[in-house]
Amino acid sequence: MSEPEEVLEPDDQVDVYAELEETIGYAFTDRALLIEAVTHPSHRHESDEDFDNQALEYLGDSALNFAVASSQITDTLRTPEGICTPIRSHLTGNRMLARIGKRLKMGSYLRLGAGEARSGGQHKKKNLADTVEALLGAVHLDGGFEAVQLVFQRVFAPELEEIAAGSFSSVQGNLKGSLQELLQKAGLPPPNYVTHKPMGPDHSRQFKVSVYLQEARFGVGFGTRKQVAEQQAAAAAYHYIVEHGLAHALENPPDDKDFPELPSF
């Protein structure tokens, strides 16, 4: 079992924030913005301070999405057109942001109210994800979008290197789980994956999988393994829902003629 993160005392904050700045590769001109970024709403409610990180979280969400989209059309992360949206969703989702927050040890920097601290607030995935977004919002206000891009590329380096190397399986795999989670939260049944008859010779067999949501087909995938084909089908369905919104997507599913009948070799 890993050791619990130490909650830092106020007297230690100056040095601690310097360590965080070193980790993200950015030194704040206005340190107050960084303090605001790590201030949970529960701290504001239990103190005489009139600020928390919610506004910065809102700004950081937009800044992160723009940073990812910008990287996708540059040499930083040149990605195939059909998977741009799934990759952006993968990199900006709460699951990823919580992972980044844990990597940065954001829980130890969080300024929490007493009740939230007692309930383990420094370890909660939502708090970690929200604080990462707030941190990027603070960087944007302090240094502009160029600074956000630099921090993004440094903090997300392992994930960007994986994607730039052409490894999309983890993205698609996560999206398969995300698709099911999205439907569950809306009170809908899980997706249904249908495997078609394998194609090609035995030494080069190709599987084709269709994914159905409420009896409508939302995606098709191909692969040398059924699991890979399922991941691609899930990515297509998730991509469509993200683009159109869940309610609209369910009322207006994709046209069958838009789905490929054969893999593109």
Side-chain angles (χ1 to χ4, degrees), residues 34-218:
L34 176 52
I35 295 174
E36 182 175 340
V38 298
T39 300
H40 189 268
S42 63
H43 184 276
R44 176 174 62 85
H45 294 324
E46 297 182 18
S47 70
D48 58 0
E49 296 176 354
D50 61 355
F51 63 86
D52 59 40
N53 62 7
Q54 289 182 302
L56 289 177
E57 176 196 339
Y58 175 79
L59 176 60
D61 174 68
S62 297
L64 174 59
N65 273 276
F66 193 28
V68 175
S70 297
S71 71
Q72 288 179 317
I73 60 171
T74 67
D75 290 336
T76 301
L77 185 61
R78 179 93 47 188
T79 50
E81 181 180 355
I83 201 170
C84 279
T85 297
I87 284 179
R88 189 177 69 215
S89 299
H90 171 64
L91 291 174
T92 62
N94 284 337
R95 187 180 304 175
M96 173 62 71
L97 293 175
R99 182 201 302 178
I100 298 295
K102 185 176 182 180
R103 184 188 301 161
L104 296 177
K105 300 181 179 179
M106 293 304 300
S108 64
Y109 305 117
L110 269 171
R111 305 173 75 218
L112 302 168
E116 183 67 12
R118 283 194 300 269
S119 68
Q122 67 269 32
H123 303 298
K124 292 180 181 178
K125 292 182 179 180
K126 184 180 186 304
N127 288 346
L128 296 176
D130 291 349
T131 307
V132 170
E133 287 184 325
L135 179 64
L136 291 171
V139 170
H140 180 74
L141 288 182
D142 192 71
F145 181 64
E146 184 176 338
V148 172
Q149 287 180 301
L150 292 174
V151 172
F152 164 69
Q153 291 171 15
R154 181 183 179 102
V155 169
F156 285 76
E159 289 74 25
L160 295 177
E161 289 172 4
E162 176 184 322
I163 294 171
S167 176
F168 304 127
S169 59
S170 63
V171 178
Q172 294 166 333
N174 283 338
L175 286 179
K176 183 179 177 183
S178 296
L179 176 63
Q180 182 162 333
E181 183 179 342
L182 186 153
L183 296 174
Q184 287 176 340
K185 286 183 177 179
L188 299 172
N192 180 31
Y193 294 91
V194 176
T195 304
H196 301 263
K197 183 179 179 180
M199 299 173 286
D202 290 342
H203 68 276
S204 183
R205 189 64 55 92
Q206 282 282 328
F207 290 92
K208 175 183 177 181
V209 172
S210 294
V211 60
Y212 290 82
L213 310 182
Q214 296 187 333
E215 301 184 356
R217 185 160 64 159
F218 272 74

Side-chain angles (χ1 to χ4, degrees), residues 6-58:
E6 179 185 359
V7 179
L8 303 160
E9 297 298 328
D11 291 343
D12 299 328
Q13 295 294 356
V14 173
D15 291 338
V16 168
Y17 291 146
E19 291 175 11
L20 176 57
E21 289 175 329
E22 183 177 354
T23 300
I24 67 174
Y26 180 79
F28 279 82
T29 300
D30 184 357
R31 181 62 69 81
L33 285 169
L34 176 52
I35 295 174
E36 182 175 340
V38 298
T39 300
H40 189 268
S42 63
H43 184 276
R44 176 174 62 85
H45 294 324
E46 297 182 18
S47 70
D48 58 0
E49 296 176 354
D50 61 355
F51 63 86
D52 59 40
N53 62 7
Q54 289 182 302
L56 289 177
E57 176 196 339
Y58 175 79

